[in-house]
Amino acid sequence: MALKWYTIVVDCRDAQAQARWWAEALDWVLVHDTEEEAVAVPRHALEEHEEGPVRDLETWMRRGQGLVFVPVPEGKTLKNRLHIDLAPHSSQDRDAEIQRLLDLGATRVDVGQDPEQVTWTVLADPEGNEFCVLSSRDS
């Protein structure tokens, strides 16, 4: 038996702003937005969504993961111990995607990587959470 990876929870100062930022960055949609949490899921997950409980295990296991944003009083102080890797498809312009994220409010981050040696770019979201944009790929 296997458990389903259901969501990643992100602690943040402004859960609603972070959820909106990530939904825009990933072209996802917000499906829940309260003072206690905001949830973003892949757009295709809504298209495939069945009303009510999913009783079939195989269908339930195939559903994509979401991001849950919850407010916390403290700010980020250290490098993330867990981060998200994003990858453009080989048909996409990777540099244009990075610029789009920067235009949305991401920032470039130096976590010790040598830009001449690595094939990824480290960025941070508006609250400083690091993530990587990998090289383009098709698998």
Side-chain angles (χ1 to χ4, degrees):
M1 179 178 190
L3 294 173
K4 176 182 175 53
W5 168 23
Y6 197 70
T7 61
I8 292 177
V9 178
V10 182
D11 291 349
C12 32
R13 301 282 274 184
D14 186 340
Q16 286 67 37
Q18 282 291 93
R20 285 190 303 274
W21 191 88
W22 278 98
E24 176 85 13
L26 297 171
D27 191 27
W28 286 14
V29 293
L30 291 179
V31 294
H32 183 75
D33 190 359
T34 66
E35 286 185 21
E36 292 80 30
E37 68 180 10
V39 180
V41 299
R43 195 170 297 280
H44 72 83
L46 285 184
E47 295 164 2
E48 299 168 359
H49 183 71
E50 299 174 11
E51 287 300 319
V54 177
R55 301 201 188 284
D56 174 70
L57 177 62
E58 186 176 327
T59 301
W60 187 74
M61 291 295 281
R62 281 195 317 260
R63 277 196 177 166
Q65 294 73 25
L67 291 171
V68 177
F69 300 87
V70 296
V72 295
E74 69 276 359
K76 182 179 176 299
T77 57
L78 301 171
K79 178 181 173 288
N80 293 2
R81 300 222 24 208
L82 174 72
H83 69 266
I84 296 172
D85 283 347
L86 306 177
H89 186 263
S90 58
S91 66
Q92 292 176 282
D93 181 339
R94 179 181 179 276
D95 292 337
E97 286 300 310
I98 290 170
Q99 187 59 53
R100 183 180 68 83
L101 294 168
L102 292 168
D103 291 346
L104 286 173
T107 55
R108 293 185 184 272
V109 178
D110 181 353
V111 293
Q113 75 276 18
D114 179 350
E116 302 299 318
Q117 300 287 327
V118 299
T119 60
W120 61 88
T121 299
V122 183
L123 300 175
D125 69 17
E127 288 202 10
N129 298 301
E130 298 93 1
F131 63 96
C132 295
V133 178
L134 305 177
S135 58
S136 300
R137 46 200 69 202
D138 56 15
S139 60

